[in-house]
Each structure stands twice: as C-alpha cells, then as structure tokens.
Amino acid sequence: MSKEATLQFEGKEFKLPVIVGTEGEKALDVRNLRAQTGAITYDDGFGNTGSCLSEITFIDGDAGVLRYRGHAIEDLAEHSSFVETAYLIIHGNLPNSAERRRFGDLLRLHSPVHSAMDHLFEGFPLGSHPMAILSALLNSLGCYYPHLATNRPTEDLANFEEASAIAISKVRTIAAMSYRKSRGLPYIYPKRTLPYCENFLHMMFSQPYEDFVPTPEVAQALNLFLLLHADHEQNCSTSTVRMVASSGANLFASVAAGVCALWGPLHGGANMAVIEMLESIHAEGDDGSKFIEAARSGKAGHRLMGFGHRVYRNYDPRAKIIKASFDKALASLGIKDDPLLQIARRLEEVALRDDYFLSRRLYPNVDFYSGLIMRALGIPQNMFTVMFAIGRMPGWIAHWKEVASNPKNKIYRPRQVYTGAVRRPFVPMAERP
Ligand code: CMC
C-alpha cells in the first residue's frame, strides 16, 4: 500500500502521509495540512478524526470487536475480574500474582476518604445528583494530595501508582457516600477485608446496625458490569479526560472532567434514560410498538435510548455479554417477571426487524440492558451513571497517563470554521434599535 495519499486542492497537489495502526486501520496524516494548503479539515463531532495514537483499546465497530490491550472483551468477561482488568488497562499487561497482590493492597489502603472530606459532602443540599458530587469530590482529591496533583506531568507521573490507586479506590467510596448523602443516610465506611465490589455494596447498603452481604451472583454481576465499562477508546468522556490532560492538568482534575462529560444522556446518562423510557412506555400501556413508531423520527425525546452508537454499526459486544448474563443474574435474584424487561425484549425484537433501524445500522448498545441489570441489583436509578463512572475510571487513568507521558504531547486545540458576523461598527447604546 502507498505510504502517501494525494490531495488536489485549488489546482495544486499535496502529499498526505498514511499512518497504519497495528490492526490495519488507516489514517491520513493532516498535521501539516494547514501549513501546506491554508485549509483545515471539517469534521463535526470528530466522527472521522483520529485525535491521537493510542495503545490501550481496539474497537472494530463493523465487526463488533472490543479488546483491551489486545485481550478480547469476551475472554476478560469470562476469566478476569474488574480489578485485574483495571490493572491490565492501566499498566499494559495482566498482573502476575505479586503485582496483583500489591495492586489490591494499594486499593485497600486507599479505600477510606480523608475525614475532612465528610464536610464537603455536608455542603451539598439533600437530593443533590450523585454525579455532581462525584465530579466535585474527585477534583478535590488534588487538594488532599497536593504532591500527586502538581500539574507538572513529570512530577505527577513519578507518583502515578499512588495517584491511580487513590482514584480507582476512592471513586467507589465517594460514589457510595454521595448516594447516602443524597438520601440523608449515615455514611458507611469501607472494610479492608472485603473485595472491591462487595466493599462498594457494603458502603451503599449496609446499615450501622446490620451489614449488607450480597450473594456471590450479585457481586459477580457488578464485577462484570464494571469490567465491561472499563475503557472504550476515544468516547466523549475519555476525549475530555485527554483534552484536560493535554494542558498538563493533574489526574484528579482530568478524571473529574470525564465525569461531567459522562453525565449527559447521549453518553453515560443513557443507562438511566433507557429505564425512564421503559417506565414511560409501561405507564402508557404500550407494548413498545407506538414508541418504535415515534422513534423513527430520530428526534431528541423520541430516540430509542440504548440503541445506536457512533462506532458500532453492529451489535455492541458488551450488550451481547450483558444480555447473555442477564437471565442468570435475574434467576439468582429471584426475579421472574419484570415488565420492563419484557418491553425491552420486545423493543429489541421489533427494532431489529425494522427498516429504519436496519438501514441506519442501529443496534442495542451497552446501555440497553445495563440499566436493567443495575435496577435488578437494587442500584437506585440516579446512581446508574455513577456506576458507569466507577467502571470507566481505569480507562480514564490509562488515557491520562498516555497523554502525560507522551514526550511529544501537544495541547488539544482544534480549529473552527467561523460562520458568525463579519467585522461591524460599534454602535453606542442610545443609537441601538
Ligand atoms: N433512535 C432513533 N434514531 C436514531 C437513534 C436512536 N437511538 N440513534 C441514531 N438515530 C438515527 C439518527 O436520527 C440519524 O438518522 P438520519 O440519518 O435519518 O438523520 C442516524 O440514526 C444517525 O444518527 P446520528 O445521531 O448521526 O449518530 P451518532 O453517531 O452521532 O450518534 C448516538 C450516536 C449514540 C449519540 C445515537 O445513536 C443516540 O442518540 N443513541 C441513543 C442514546 C444512547 O443510547 N447513547 C449511549 C451510547 S453507548 C454508551 C456510551 O458509550 O456512552
């Protein structure tokens, strides 16, 4: 294959180098385009733009393939755990037993939050959204650990192991505390003896007078949910993390920005939006047919939430795994007839036969069934997106590190095509219409 592409523009020819990734993905290198031609590229929503070279996650959206550091998501879902996969994503390889032990010890060590942080939670009004609290508190970690948040990448990288363990461990503690705060419940502190997921469920659901002990199936379902969300290359929140990191900002500030980007209903908020959609279909007595009819408009407010994806033009492999594990999880929880699940299954069945969805290659994404799993596990609805954030933390951390340790790092600074008013005179207030 030629290592160059030729661009004809305004009567001249320009050579664009071709970059080929390890999985054969091709990219035209336009880094010198503006200098050579005076023109920039225009790509609304960045759907055709490679913003970086990355070694972390590979997705083939047409084939429905997802791999973390070369490992198929199906293999990890079957054989690994969230914590082990987090290590893989952050450090590049699966840990040996000593590395895994050390990682676990660090997570246990950092599971409690500084007692002064309790006062930060107190400052939020009752009913505050846990995503707002999570983002604010993650950012504040830089104040409690100033030596890990110098905003000088070389120094922050020197303490990366500690900072990354703090972020992974404390996101779970802060998430549980923000839930308890939003319900006016007393905080439950982490237990060092419990594994990652069990500890989270303990902090969420134990009472001062009684420990909550999940069944192994519930802990396993949560483990799987987190593992499946651990990274997804350059999605909206990860690109946000990389953008913030590109200015040299510390890990905590960068991942806090990721939480904000994740919050919206087109991204992580979709798992909550799916349940709201299913509930409203159920309340209207519709079996899904009327909703599908309206969803064909593709308009906001009518979209079939949990369907479609910028990258997957096929069944999202994560949705496949979640769907397959669903029946087992429901059986272990003793849930037989969930009307929302029946509506979801009907929506999927109808949409996958419908020309509108087929022609646009809209298939279920990870959020279509993940909200239902969370609901079955007893996770409250306003925590769904927070659960996504806990799962995505390893990915955000790995991408922060990739940016911070890149000796050729360039600050992210896209250009624009200006379409506003051309220069016009200043009119004094008295003369304005
Ligand atoms: N329901 C109905 N129509 C849709 C849907 C949908 N869920 N998604 C896309 N379309 C239509 C859209 O109207 C457009 O039609 P037309 O070509 O006639 O104008 C066409 O499909 C292409 O849509 P798009 O908005 O250009 O696609 P996109 O790549 O910009 O958006 C998306 C991707 C995920 C934002 C979108 O599919 C969507 O809004 N889905 C529902 C929200 C959702 O489930 N989000 C979770 C994404 S997966 C988890 C994550 O990574 O965050």
Side-chain angles (χ1 to χ4, degrees):
M1 189 187 41
S2 165
K3 297 239 169 42
E4 279 183 337
T6 306
L7 170 75
Q8 286 190 346
F9 179 62
E10 295 182 334
K12 289 192 197 136
E13 267 196 6
F14 301 93
K15 299 290 178 202
L16 301 176
V18 175
I19 297 177
V20 185
T22 49
E23 291 280 353
E25 272 174 321
K26 298 181 242 5
L28 305 184
D29 180 348
V30 294
R31 281 176 295 177
N32 293 323
L33 185 73
R34 188 167 174 276
Q36 284 178 322
T37 66
I40 59 171
T41 56
Y42 174 62
D43 184 19
D44 197 8
F46 310 131
N48 301 286
T49 296
S51 59
C52 59
L53 303 180
S54 179
E55 295 179 356
I56 302 166
T57 289
F58 171 69
I59 298 177
D60 180 338
D62 287 323
V65 167
L66 169 62
R67 292 185 207 130
Y68 300 155
R69 302 280 190 185
H71 291 280
I73 192 71
E74 292 80 6
D75 289 344
L76 294 169
E78 193 178 342
H79 302 294
S80 187
S81 66
F82 172 64
V83 171
E84 184 183 63
T85 297
Y87 185 99
L88 165 73
I89 290 175
I90 295 173
H91 296 289
N93 288 302
L94 287 165
N96 62 29
S97 60
E99 289 164 339
R100 174 65 184 82
R101 214 172 315 114
R102 181 173 164 78
F103 191 51
D105 287 347
L106 278 173
L107 297 188
R108 265 186 292 282
L109 176 69
H110 292 298
S111 56
V113 294
H114 194 292
S115 59
M117 282 182 93
D118 290 5
H119 301 297
L120 296 183
F121 284 99
E122 293 315 313
F124 287 94
L126 210 66
S128 296
H129 198 292
M131 283 296 270
I133 303 181
L134 183 66
S135 167
L137 275 277
L138 282 173
N139 200 5
S140 79
L141 286 173
C143 308
Y144 293 91
Y145 302 94
H147 67 294
L148 306 177
T150 65
N151 294 326
R152 288 184 291 275
T154 326
E155 279 173 50
D156 287 349
L157 277 168
N159 295 308
F160 175 73
E161 191 187 26
E162 186 186 358
S164 57
I166 286 175
I168 293 205
S169 196
K170 290 198 197 308
V171 65
R172 156 194 64 163
T173 311
I174 294 171
M177 287 176 81
S178 64
Y179 162 67
R180 303 216 38 126
K181 167 68 198 171
S182 75
R183 293 283 168 105
L185 297 167
Y187 305 128
I188 301 289
Y189 294 103
K191 274 191 185 170
R192 284 209 180 183
T193 47
L194 292 177
Y196 192 91
C197 290
E198 284 83 345
N199 215 349
F200 172 70
L201 292 167
H202 160 69
M203 288 188 273
M204 285 282 289
F205 300 125
S206 285
Q207 298 300 343
Y209 48 85
E210 189 179 22
D211 274 0
F212 173 83
V213 182
T215 63
E217 289 85 1
V218 164
Q220 176 53 29
L222 179 60
N223 221 313
L224 183 66
F225 171 91
L226 297 178
L227 182 154
L228 293 175
H229 284 80
D231 192 43
H232 213 234
E233 51 115 304
Q234 310 309 319
N235 55 84
C236 176
S237 57
T238 303
S239 298
T240 302
V241 169
R242 290 189 76 115
M243 178 164 281
V244 176
S246 79
S247 74
N250 69 76
L251 176 69
F252 304 124
S254 303
V255 298
V259 171
C260 298
L262 187 71
W263 196 353
L266 296 188
H267 190 13
N271 52 19
M272 220 169 122
V274 168
I275 298 295
E276 284 162 5
M277 172 187 81
L278 295 174
E279 282 175 345
S280 98
I281 293 173
H282 184 51
E284 282 169 23
D286 179 16
D287 68 348
S289 317
K290 270 199 274 168
F291 192 89
I292 287 277
E293 189 60 44
R296 289 200 193 100
S297 71
K299 286 194 188 129
H302 293 289
R303 282 194 169 191
L304 182 51
M305 300 311 284
F307 255 69
H309 198 277
R310 171 63 61 78
V311 178
Y312 294 119
R313 300 299 179 193
N314 200 325
Y315 217 110
D316 179 336
R318 302 167 300 174
K320 250 189 210 162
I321 297 170
I322 289 202
K323 194 181 168 195
S325 71
F326 206 81
D327 292 333
K328 206 170 119 202
L330 287 193
S332 86
L333 290 160
I335 299 173
K336 288 198 187 91
D337 290 319
D338 181 350
L340 298 197
L341 176 61
Q342 283 168 14
I343 294 173
R345 286 193 170 135
R346 161 119 185 109
L347 286 174
E348 179 185 351
E349 195 188 301
V350 174
L352 293 183
R353 277 192 272 113
D354 189 296
D355 256 6
Y356 173 89
F357 293 91
L358 287 176
S359 60
R360 288 167 182 74
R361 304 180 70 187
L362 302 170
Y363 293 88
N365 60 50
V366 68
D367 289 321
F368 194 64
Y369 285 105
S370 68
L372 285 163
I373 282 269
M374 289 292 101
R375 189 166 162 271
L377 295 182
I379 306 285
Q381 217 154 302
N382 68 349
M383 284 292 287
F384 288 3
T385 315
V386 171
M387 303 304 296
F388 193 152
I390 299 174
R392 187 52 54 87
M393 187 56 77
W396 289 338
I397 292 171
H399 285 272
W400 178 88
K401 187 182 182 199
E402 207 168 64
V403 173
S405 54
N406 179 1
K408 293 191 184 149
N409 172 53
K410 281 173 87 80
I411 188 166
Y412 277 33
R413 202 315 185 177
R415 287 185 177 264
Q416 62 166 19
V417 179
Y418 176 69
T419 57
V422 293
R423 183 167 184 177
R424 46 188 174 157
F426 180 84
V427 182
M429 176 80 80
E431 293 166 31
R432 289 176 208 162

